[in-house]
């Protein structure tokens, strides 16, 4: 199983960053840089445990539909989402106070089929691309949240 975790320091309160990301989840997740298309909330807001989303994950021109369910939603702190259809995927979204701002951490865990070839392809092709997409997305999130605070 691949495990990619990245964090970003945001000069905005944890509450404001949390509210912004929840709003994005309930909308179109447009701060996300690459790899996620057609994001759609399947359950009515507000975001909470049991909420469901669907999207197409796309890397190297290959798209795979995913349907996820939110688990362990903690207001102001974060949540996890697990795939219920599509490839095995888990995403964790965490918000922590740090240095007069927020440390936001996103962790992605997934399995690439088939059993032997999948992990090899993942290590050399997919995981580095997901890592770059996550880093770019977190930088987009940082920029947007800090613009909102200063603007």
């Amino acid at each position: 199983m691949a495990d990619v975790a990245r964090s970003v320091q945001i000069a905005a309160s944890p509450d404001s960053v949390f509210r912004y990301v929840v709003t994005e989840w309930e909308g179109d997740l447009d701060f996300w840089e690459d790899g996620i298309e057609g994001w759609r909330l399947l359950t009515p807001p507000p975001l909470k445990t049991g909420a469901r989303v669907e999207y197409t994950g796309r890397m190297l021109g290959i798209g795979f539909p995913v349907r996820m369910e939110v688990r362990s939603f903690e207001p102001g702190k974060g949540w996890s989402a697990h795939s219920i259809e599509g490839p095995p995927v888990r995403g964790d979204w965490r918000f922590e106070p740090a240095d007069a701002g927020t440390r936001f951490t996103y962790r992605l865990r997934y399995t690439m089929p088939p059993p032997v070839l999948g992990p090899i392809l993942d290590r050399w092709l997919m995981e580095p691309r997901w890592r770059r997409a996550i880093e770019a997305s977190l930088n987009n999130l940082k920029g947007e949240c800090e613009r909102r605070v200063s603007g």
Side-chain angles (χ1 to χ4, degrees), residues 60 62 110-127:
L60 301 170
I62 301 167
Y110 62 93
T111 302
M112 283 287 298
V116 175
L117 186 57
I120 293 168
L121 288 173
D122 182 58
R123 176 170 296 279
W124 298 108
L125 294 173
M126 300 297 274
E127 187 176 334

Side-chain angles (χ1 to χ4, degrees), residues 26 41 43-48:
E26 293 171 348
L41 186 66
T43 53
L47 187 61
K48 61 187 177 219

Side-chain angles (χ1 to χ4, degrees), residues 52-135:
R52 292 183 174 189
V53 295
E54 70 180 7
Y55 62 91
T56 299
R58 185 172 301 282
M59 279 287 157
L60 301 170
I62 301 167
F64 44 93
V66 178
R67 195 170 277 208
M68 297 185 86
E69 183 175 84
V70 172
R71 299 188 183 158
S72 64
F73 184 85
E74 299 175 77
K77 295 182 180 175
W79 63 88
S80 295
H82 299 248
S83 59
I84 54 174
E85 291 180 28
V89 177
R90 176 180 172 170
D92 296 295
W93 305 69
R94 296 287 170 247
F95 305 78
E96 302 170 284
D99 299 328
T102 304
R103 179 178 176 84
F104 174 70
T105 301
Y106 176 69
R107 183 176 183 192
L108 172 67
R109 288 175 271 187
Y110 62 93
T111 302
M112 283 287 298
V116 175
L117 186 57
I120 293 168
L121 288 173
D122 182 58
R123 176 170 296 279
W124 298 108
L125 294 173
M126 300 297 274
E127 187 176 334
R129 290 179 186 266
W130 276 117
R131 198 174 328 119
R132 285 192 301 273
I134 290 168
E135 288 168 358

